Amino acid sequence: MKAFEKLNIAVAGTGYVGLSIAVLLSQHHHVTAVDIVPEKVDLINQKKSPIQDDYIEKYLAEKNLDLTATLDGEAYRDADFVIIAAPTNYDSRKNFFDTSAVEAVIRLVMKVNPEAVMVIKSTIPVGFTASVREKYQCGNIIFSPEFLRESKALYDNL
């Protein structure tokens, strides 16, 4: 991979984490945002933000971004990197993270593009990355923590 090579990146999830990363990276790379909510996909493709974030709204409206959104997980097929920003709802009574959405993305990526590097940006429990590497016999799953504020996510990423 050359230093300034344009990459194909898929981002799973278009909440604050996923959409801010998609907008940030689409300034220099081809990014496909994948979500399960048709209204969010439609808004992004109209260059409108489905979430309240001044920077995301401004960048979508004014910047020349290489960003498309889709409901179709086939978008992972051509990705060099898949950034997983799927929800992991935490149940404080059970002390449990629901990582089923993250694992669903991992399974789909493994099916259509097992060579892609998967970067988990979702909030996950300690040891989760090692456990899914073992479970799916896949060494190309990594974790990159996020520390973003809602409505300031793109600003924090920048």
Side-chain angles (χ1 to χ4, degrees):
M1 193 178 319
K2 295 177 186 130
F4 297 104
E5 181 179 339
K6 192 170 190 173
L7 300 171
N8 283 322
I9 300 168
V11 177
T14 61
Y16 284 100
V17 175
L19 189 55
S20 65
I21 291 169
V23 169
L24 176 76
L25 294 175
S26 67
Q27 294 177 89
H28 301 289
H29 302 285
H30 174 69
V31 177
T32 304
V34 182
D35 205 290
I36 61 171
V37 180
E39 296 80 13
K40 291 174 83 174
V41 168
D42 290 343
L43 284 170
I44 294 165
N45 286 330
Q46 294 171 41
K47 298 195 175 290
K48 297 177 182 172
S49 180
I51 58 177
Q52 197 284 312
D53 184 298
D54 293 341
Y55 273 75
I56 290 174
E57 292 168 21
K58 182 177 176 65
Y59 274 58
L60 284 172
E62 298 174 9
K63 297 272 186 182
N64 184 21
L65 305 176
D66 189 355
L67 173 64
T68 56
T70 185
L71 298 167
D72 191 353
E74 282 292 312
Y76 304 132
R77 184 173 302 281
D78 297 322
D80 300 300
F81 293 89
V82 176
I83 299 170
I84 303 172
T88 54
N89 298 322
Y90 178 70
D91 185 333
S92 59
R93 290 180 317 224
K94 296 179 182 177
N95 192 27
F96 175 77
F97 281 97
D98 179 1
T99 58
S100 59
V102 173
E103 288 201 55
V105 174
I106 292 170
R107 284 192 301 275
L108 184 52
V109 173
M110 292 297 297
K111 179 180 175 185
V112 301
N113 185 1
E115 300 302 312
V117 174
M118 291 174 266
V119 181
I120 300 172
K121 293 293 284 185
S122 301
T123 303
I124 54 174
V126 173
F128 178 79
T129 305
S131 71
V132 291
R133 281 185 194 145
E134 186 175 323
K135 180 177 183 177
Y136 298 104
Q137 295 297 296
C138 179
N140 52 331
I141 301 172
I142 60 176
F143 174 66
S144 174
E146 61 81 15
F147 300 99
L148 304 175
R149 298 170 291 169
E150 286 190 12
S151 78
K152 296 289 184 193
L154 181 55
Y155 178 83
D156 290 346
N157 266 320
L158 290 168

